[in-house]
Amino acid sequence: RWISRPLREVTEAASELAEGNYSTRVPVSGPMEIQVVGTAFNEMAERVELTQQAQHDFLANVSHDLRTPLTSIQGFAQAIYEGVADEDASQRAAKIIHSEAGRLTRMVNELLDLAKIQAGRMDMMRQSVELDQILTTISESLSIKAQEKNIDLQVQIPNLPRIAGDGDRLAQVFTNLIDNAIKHTPDGGRVWIRAELDTKGGILTRVEDTGEGIPKEDLPRIFERFYQVDKSRTKRIGTGLGLAIVQEIVRAHAGYIWAESEYGQGARFNVWLPQPMVDMGKTVVMSKSALAARLEKMSDGQ
């Protein structure tokens, strides 16, 4: 019974999980080998539950994000079609229709980009990239936006060694992160952009702000597609896909991204990118085993 009972419990729990009861867990008991099986089952069940919840949230969010602009387009188009709007109102309606259609187009394109990256079907260039130049250029281009909000944009970027990657995609990553930092920082706040060569064989870039921060319960999910931190927000800015795409681009470069925040005290996004192991005219990215060994040395918080 000491052996058979916990095995029977795992079997029954597996049947419940297959029927859709994703909260099913089993008590960890019996011999050590059976306890290992029980622990593994519980970990699997937890991951399945999180995946199902993420899928449910994704469908709800994408439905909302599609329904809102489509409703606007339909309503204003109907007003123009029925002739109930005067010339000025028709111009405003046409402008709104154009804007909402553009937002839908961007959303579809970003969804396609995300799907291609996740499926490994989007070509990533492997060239010698000057990350310090990319960061400096992006900071300069967004400095005007920061000045408009009276935000102090602090840039601390030393000369960095070249890395292997796609310069355009990496520019997309840091443009998104810096733009978000400025967007979520109130007037008179501060944004820092720092980069350094770390001891783990890579380049660590940090984008930090003094904005509203991210609640603790939302922090693990901010890279999910369409995930919305402020559920009460009625007007969405952007498509809600930016951070999901950022994460996939960083992963495609054998890198790592994570966020740190205390609600009400700002947020910090960290991007770690590996240096090439060999550079003899053609840049070669480090092997997966070498990367895995280096990532193991990173702290649990990273």
Side-chain angles (χ1 to χ4, degrees):
R1 293 196 192 98
W2 188 43
I3 297 174
S4 62
R5 181 179 298 170
L7 285 176
R8 186 168 60 252
E9 290 172 342
V10 170
T11 302
E12 294 171 355
S15 298
E16 291 186 24
L17 190 67
E19 292 175 0
N21 185 4
Y22 302 116
S23 61
T24 299
R25 302 293 186 272
V26 297
V28 179
S29 61
M32 181 59 67
E33 293 81 357
I34 307 300
Q35 292 183 30
V36 171
V37 173
T39 301
F41 177 88
N42 289 338
E43 291 177 354
M44 178 198 68
E46 183 177 0
R47 292 183 182 181
V48 170
E49 185 177 19
L50 290 174
T51 300
Q52 290 296 322
Q53 183 62 44
Q55 182 179 9
H56 177 271
D57 291 344
F58 168 71
L59 291 174
N61 289 331
V62 73
S63 298
H64 174 270
D65 276 40
L66 289 173
R67 186 184 300 115
T68 302
L70 286 173
T71 301
S72 296
I73 291 172
Q74 185 177 19
F76 285 106
Q78 183 176 359
I80 295 174
Y81 174 74
E82 295 178 351
V84 298
D86 57 27
E87 184 176 350
D88 291 339
S90 295
Q91 288 291 329
R92 290 195 299 271
K95 184 178 181 180
I96 292 173
I97 291 172
H98 182 268
S99 175
E100 293 294 339
R103 183 171 184 272
L104 285 173
T105 300
R106 291 193 300 273
M107 187 186 304
V108 172
N109 288 337
E110 289 186 356
L111 274 172
L112 290 173
D113 284 347
L114 187 60
K116 287 180 181 178
I117 295 172
Q118 291 178 332
R121 291 188 288 108
M122 177 170 285
D123 293 334
M124 291 283 178
M125 300 291 292
R126 283 295 183 266
Q127 299 175 338
S128 181
V129 175
E130 294 181 343
L131 187 59
D132 48 359
Q133 293 298 318
I134 291 177
L135 293 170
T136 301
T137 300
I138 295 171
S139 302
E140 291 175 351
S141 66
L142 292 175
S143 62
I144 297 176
K145 185 174 183 178
Q147 291 172 6
E148 291 174 351
K149 295 183 65 177
N150 194 28
I151 290 175
D152 183 14
L153 185 62
Q154 296 283 332
V155 183
Q156 301 170 9
I157 303 171
N159 292 328
L160 298 169
R162 293 172 179 264
I163 64 171
D166 188 319
D168 291 338
R169 290 296 175 180
L170 290 175
Q172 182 179 352
V173 167
F174 293 107
T175 297
N176 182 286
L177 295 179
I178 298 171
D179 184 66
N180 279 348
I182 295 173
K183 185 187 303 179
H184 293 287
T185 299
D187 292 5
R190 181 174 294 180
V191 173
W192 293 271
I193 304 166
R194 304 184 179 98
E196 62 182 3
L197 182 64
D198 73 353
T199 59
K200 303 175 182 67
I203 295 175
L204 180 62
T205 304
R206 295 186 173 98
V207 179
E208 187 174 359
D209 63 66
T210 58
E212 67 266 24
I214 304 168
K216 184 177 180 180
E217 63 272 17
D218 292 312
L219 200 56
R221 303 189 60 188
I222 57 173
F223 294 104
E224 292 179 13
R225 293 166 293 180
F226 293 106
Y227 188 74
Q228 189 175 352
V229 172
D230 186 358
K231 307 298 188 303
S232 64
R233 197 179 301 167
T234 57
K235 183 177 180 180
R236 296 286 299 275
I237 302 175
T239 62
L241 293 166
L243 287 178
I245 293 176
V246 161
Q247 184 183 56
E248 294 301 327
I249 293 174
V250 172
R251 286 176 174 174
H253 284 79
Y256 200 74
I257 181 171
W258 69 98
E260 301 168 293
S261 178
E262 289 188 20
Y263 191 55
Q265 299 184 22
R268 179 169 64 194
F269 283 81
N270 309 273
V271 177
W272 183 86
L273 294 168
Q275 284 185 265
M277 297 295 285
V278 181
D279 190 357
M280 298 175 60
K282 181 180 179 181
T283 307
V284 180
V285 181
M286 70 172 66
S287 66
K288 289 185 178 180
S289 58
L291 175 62
R294 291 193 177 186
L295 288 178
E296 278 188 12
K297 296 179 182 178
M298 302 179 78
S299 66
D300 292 337
Q302 297 176 344

